[in-house]
Amino acid sequence: KTDDGYVLMTGNQIGALLMDFVLENTKLTKKSAVVKTVVTSELGGEIARKKGLKVFSTLTGFKYIGEKIHQFEQRQDQEFVFGYEESYGYLVGTHARDKDAVVSVMLICEMAASLKAKGKTLLDRMNEIYEEYGYYRDALESFTFKGKDGLEKINSLMSELRDKEPPFDDIKEVIDYSKPVKSEEGYGYLPASNVLKYILTNGSWIAVRPSGTEPKIKIYYNIKEADQNTAEKKLMYIQTRLKNKLGLEKVRS
């Protein structure tokens, strides 16, 4: 709540706040590790890396984070501390192998109470993190293609992205998860998945994937800039350019 009304924080923002709060209040070891998905903002990962933790990335779906916990326990080379995905799914501790809203809500309340005692809000702390790490603007767009031709259209769009030149100029790397992609050292390869991820030179990225449950194609944006105004402008530019390239301007979200 702010003087101007309520601000809805994204799953990535809450995840970064929880990462910051949990790591500050946990006894960490050299084996401590955190896990996020490949379409989750890098901000939480940057917070963890600054504290010396190893960051693991999985495919979309909390089952993969649960699988990573199992691997840690089998190998005994890492200790799971926190895992999360951009769609408001969080897990602290190894009592479950899935997202846990009960513990997450409790921790968010504790975090809010701790900040309130200092005269701050969750949004105040979020802005402090942005000042330290840079501003991260995340967004998600979904485009629906119903009917018998919907799946064919979605597959066509993914093929177009793979076959043609990347839609952006300042691309550092393109990751196609339908091909073998190495996991972290010693952890083999990620399972094949119909996902394309464009990583830009400044650390921003855009990921495109079909939904696994609905006739939709999803586009994830994670824009990193020095400040909010610059990030908003960059996001709008990238969204417009990609939708124009794919002919999505008039498709219902």
Side-chain angles (χ1 to χ4, degrees):
K1 185 179 181 181
T2 70
D3 294 338
D4 299 321
Y6 286 91
V7 174
L8 175 63
M9 304 193 78
T10 69
N12 279 319
Q13 289 176 317
I14 293 294
L17 286 169
L18 280 172
M19 182 76 79
D20 176 66
F21 183 71
V22 169
L23 297 187
E24 280 295 320
N25 292 279
T26 300
K27 187 176 180 180
L28 303 173
T29 71
K30 292 182 179 179
K31 293 183 177 181
S32 295
V34 298
V35 187
K36 66 175 192 62
T37 72
V38 297
V39 296
T40 298
S41 169
E42 280 299 319
L43 179 54
E46 289 302 307
I47 293 170
R49 291 185 188 98
K50 189 170 183 178
K51 295 182 182 297
L53 275 73
K54 189 166 184 178
V55 180
F56 288 78
S57 294
T58 70
L59 295 177
T60 306
F62 221 93
K63 65 180 181 180
Y64 293 112
I65 296 177
E67 181 182 57
K68 194 63 67 178
I69 297 172
H70 183 62
Q71 290 176 344
F72 291 169
E73 291 174 341
Q74 284 188 318
R75 295 168 57 96
Q76 297 186 344
D77 60 345
Q78 302 290 336
E79 295 174 352
F80 178 84
V81 178
F82 179 56
Y84 77 110
E85 58 185 5
E86 52 81 32
S87 55
Y88 296 94
Y90 314 103
L91 177 64
V92 180
T94 58
H95 57 282
R97 294 296 186 272
D98 202 348
K99 63 192 79 171
D100 182 358
V102 177
V103 169
S104 300
V105 168
M106 179 191 71
L107 286 170
I108 292 169
C109 289
E110 286 191 358
M111 180 166 55
S114 175
L115 288 167
K116 186 176 182 180
K118 302 172 185 176
K120 299 179 182 179
T121 66
L122 294 174
L123 192 58
D124 291 332
R125 181 57 188 150
M126 191 74 252
N127 288 328
E128 289 175 350
I129 291 173
Y130 286 147
E131 288 179 10
E132 183 174 354
Y133 293 91
Y135 189 86
Y136 286 73
R137 173 67 161 91
D138 57 275
L140 169 63
E141 289 185 301
S142 297
F143 301 91
T144 303
F145 295 90
K146 293 184 177 181
K148 62 179 182 180
D149 298 329
L151 181 60
E152 184 178 335
K153 178 61 177 177
I154 290 172
N155 289 334
S156 174
L157 289 173
M158 294 300 295
S159 295
E160 181 179 347
L161 286 171
R162 287 188 169 97
D163 296 341
K164 295 184 178 180
E165 286 294 315
F168 313 108
D169 300 326
D170 54 341
I171 289 180
K172 177 183 178 182
E173 182 182 9
V174 179
I175 304 175
D176 185 349
Y177 289 93
S178 69
K179 301 174 182 178
V181 174
K182 275 191 175 183
S183 185
E184 286 68 28
E185 186 177 355
Y187 281 78
Y189 290 82
L190 296 176
S193 184
N194 192 11
V195 181
L196 277 172
K197 188 172 184 178
Y198 301 92
I199 301 175
L200 307 187
T201 53
N202 73 339
S204 301
W205 58 258
I206 303 93
V208 185
R209 76 174 185 94
S211 170
T213 57
E214 300 173 286
K216 294 181 177 181
I217 189 167
K218 294 188 173 185
I219 305 177
Y220 301 79
Y221 305 89
N222 192 242
I223 309 302
K224 180 184 178 183
E225 292 291 348
D227 56 73
Q228 182 176 0
N229 185 52
T230 306
E232 295 287 355
K233 290 179 179 178
K234 185 67 173 288
L235 173 63
M236 187 175 298
Y237 168 76
I238 287 176
Q239 285 177 314
T240 301
R241 184 162 182 175
L242 184 56
K243 285 188 285 188
N244 286 342
K245 181 178 178 63
L246 296 177
L248 297 173
E249 308 97 319
K250 298 180 180 180
V251 178
R252 185 174 62 86
S253 298

